[in-house]
């Protein structure tokens, strides 16, 4: 879980099929009109980043819990504007996170 902690932004150019690719926010992304993402924080804290009306990012606080299977995180956003969802971790290698959102 420690390897997952940090801020991850969508590298949608690398997505394939239903596999989503994320890289650390320090990665040199090609130009884009905003990138969604999330931050996995210690003690079950989570923040989802959505594109703001001004093309910046807006954060939505939430929580994560492991689903008994260390490759799945259950996500709950505190504002209740969207249903809970699961992030299924497929791979985390060389600072490239691949997952499926369920």
């Amino acid at each position: 879980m420690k390897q997952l902690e940090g801020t991850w932004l969508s590298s949608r150019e690398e997505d394939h099929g239903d596999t989503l690719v994320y890289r650390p926010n320090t990665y040199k992304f090609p130009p884009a009109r905003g990138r969604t993402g999330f931050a996995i924080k210690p003690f079950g804290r989570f923040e989802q980043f959505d594109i703001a009306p001004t093309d910046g990012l807006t954060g939505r606080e939430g929580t994560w819990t492991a689903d008994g299977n260390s490759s799945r995180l259950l996500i709950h956003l505190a504002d209740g504007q969207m249903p809970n969802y699961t992030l299924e971790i497929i791979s985390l290698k060389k600072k490239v996170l691949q997952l499926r959102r369920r």
Side-chain angles (χ1 to χ4, degrees):
M1 291 309 296
K2 271 298 208 200
Q3 291 178 326
L4 289 173
E5 286 182 13
T7 300
W8 298 90
L9 297 178
S10 173
S11 185
R12 62 183 169 272
E13 301 87 352
E14 298 178 88
D15 291 351
H16 49 280
D18 64 349
T19 301
L20 306 174
V21 178
Y22 289 81
R23 290 184 176 267
N25 63 328
T26 55
Y27 180 75
K28 297 285 187 189
F29 289 99
R33 293 191 61 125
R35 291 186 183 273
T36 59
F38 54 86
I40 297 176
K41 303 175 182 181
F43 309 110
R45 295 177 300 137
F46 182 86
E47 187 172 5
Q48 179 173 299
F49 300 113
D50 300 316
I51 297 177
T54 59
D55 285 341
L57 293 178
T58 184
R60 296 168 58 198
E61 295 291 327
T63 59
W64 65 264
T65 54
D67 181 20
N69 174 346
S70 62
S71 68
R72 292 187 181 172
L73 300 179
L74 301 175
I75 307 300
H76 171 77
L77 297 178
D79 63 14
Q81 292 182 8
M82 64 186 299
N84 296 344
Y85 60 91
T86 300
L87 296 177
E88 179 184 355
I89 291 38
I90 298 168
S91 171
L92 175 55
K93 296 178 185 169
K94 299 181 182 178
K95 297 186 180 183
V96 177
L97 174 60
Q98 296 185 21
L99 55 83
R100 288 187 189 99
R101 183 173 166 164
R102 308 237 183 235

